[in-house]
Amino acid sequence: MRTLYYKTSPFMEPLIGIIFLLGAILKALDINLFSVQIAAYGVITTKSLLPYVALGTLAVETFLGAALLLRLRFQKLTFLALTLLLLVFTGLIIYGWAFNELEDCGCFGPLEMSPGISITKNILLLILTAIAWHHAHRTSPAEAVPLHRYPYVRLACTCVFVAGLLGYAYVELQAENLPDSPEQGKYSAFVFDLPEGHFNLGEGEYLVALLSMSCEHCMEVVPELNELFFLPDLPPIVALCLEENEGAMSSFCAQTEPLFPMYSIGNRVRLYFELIGEETLGLSYVRDGHSMYYWDGVIPPYDELQSFLQQVHESHLAGAPSTGADDGFSMQ
């Protein structure tokens, strides 16, 4: 056992580095998904901060992973930072699991990992870190491999790798950003053609249903939306649909038979997340691209919608801003 320990110890440091780099690369490849996974912990409640937290996490993981792989120790500070990071991550997972029903920790991006498995993984990584730290402490300069003689080269390689991965992730985040200004609302980004006709959500009034193709609650409200679709005095109804897997929308339609137009945004999880409220589904009253009112998790009945829209139009004609606060509607 002692012989095995001394033979394997030198490999612990690069092994941990590879594991961290693998997690960072998978996160970067789907950084928008990782941003949404962070929200599931219940610690960051402001949606606009999630991309920045995702980038920060990615930068730290990538730097530590590359530093460990290249044995860039900074007088053993790398091991200390790694230990603290693993403890923080483990604490966050326990908190999210206990208080927010966390299902996927997001440690490896699109590769789902339960909190229990992730905590076990972190404990094993802490053990490996202790072994690597002990080995580094016992290693003399004479035992160092030639790579150790070029600290500035290794630091430059680490920084280049971090910058490259962050740059890629940043571009991916920008691709999912929605406009949000007085001139252009979030929904102005949606201009599309369906068999039912041409839709430009940046112009005119719409009732936009937000539906996930894997959500049972979304399936249950389709009959309500079908009924509203044919009733008078309502803006056109159209659904924006999150299609997590290819073909999910076809299966959803076969089971629910929606009569209203449905547009798939594909598996663009963060884009969908930016449009919904606390619940997976919702209904948004959109005027000229702006979400003026949002019903979170419910489809209001026709009488309520008709009364609400009448008040909105009267307020608009009178030149006064309508809040809808007394009607119990959420404003986005």
Side-chain angles (χ1 to χ4, degrees), residues 7 25 47 86 131 143 196 222 238 252 269 290 297 315:
K7 285 184 177 181
I25 291 170
K47 289 183 178 181
L86 287 170
I131 296 173
E143 297 177 272
E196 293 86 353
V222 169
V238 62
F252 182 96
V269 181
H290 295 274
S315 299

Side-chain angles (χ1 to χ4, degrees), residues 201-274:
L201 303 190
E203 297 178 358
E205 290 182 305
Y206 290 91
L207 287 174
V208 180
L210 297 162
L211 305 175
S212 168
M213 300 296 91
S214 62
C215 166
E216 292 185 4
H217 191 188
C218 297
M219 293 182 178
E220 294 169 357
V221 301
V222 169
E224 299 174 48
L225 288 168
N226 282 343
E227 184 178 351
L228 291 175
F229 182 65
F230 290 104
L231 293 175
D233 304 324
L234 293 180
I237 295 177
V238 62
L240 296 180
C241 306
L242 176 67
E243 191 174 14
E244 293 93 332
N245 302 300
E246 187 175 354
M249 187 168 173
S250 298
S251 177
F252 182 96
C253 292
Q255 294 180 60
T256 60
E257 299 182 350
L259 303 176
F260 49 90
M262 297 179 65
Y263 176 70
S264 172
I265 63 172
N267 190 26
R268 300 167 71 183
V269 181
R270 180 170 154 250
L271 185 147
Y272 186 77
F273 185 71
E274 291 292 332

Side-chain angles (χ1 to χ4, degrees), residues 179-216:
D180 190 13
S181 67
E183 295 77 23
Q184 283 188 305
K186 292 181 178 181
Y187 287 87
S188 61
F190 299 99
V191 181
F192 49 86
D193 291 294
L194 294 174
E196 293 86 353
H198 177 75
F199 294 87
N200 181 357
L201 303 190
E203 297 178 358
E205 290 182 305
Y206 290 91
L207 287 174
V208 180
L210 297 162
L211 305 175
S212 168
M213 300 296 91
S214 62
C215 166
E216 292 185 4

Side-chain angles (χ1 to χ4, degrees), residues 44-109:
I44 308 297
T45 56
T46 305
K47 289 183 178 181
S48 59
L49 294 178
L50 293 173
Y52 301 103
V53 175
L55 287 175
T57 304
L58 183 64
V60 172
E61 283 194 22
T62 306
F63 187 87
L64 280 176
L68 288 163
L69 184 61
L70 297 176
R71 292 187 170 90
L72 196 62
R73 293 166 179 165
F74 298 104
Q75 301 296 323
K76 314 299 188 300
L77 288 177
T78 301
F79 294 110
L80 177 60
L82 176 62
T83 302
L84 292 175
L85 187 67
L86 287 170
L87 291 174
V88 169
F89 280 175
T90 303
L92 288 172
I93 293 169
I94 293 172
Y95 175 84
W97 194 12
F99 297 102
N100 294 288
E101 299 180 354
L102 181 70
E103 296 181 357
D104 180 13
C105 67
C107 297
F108 291 97

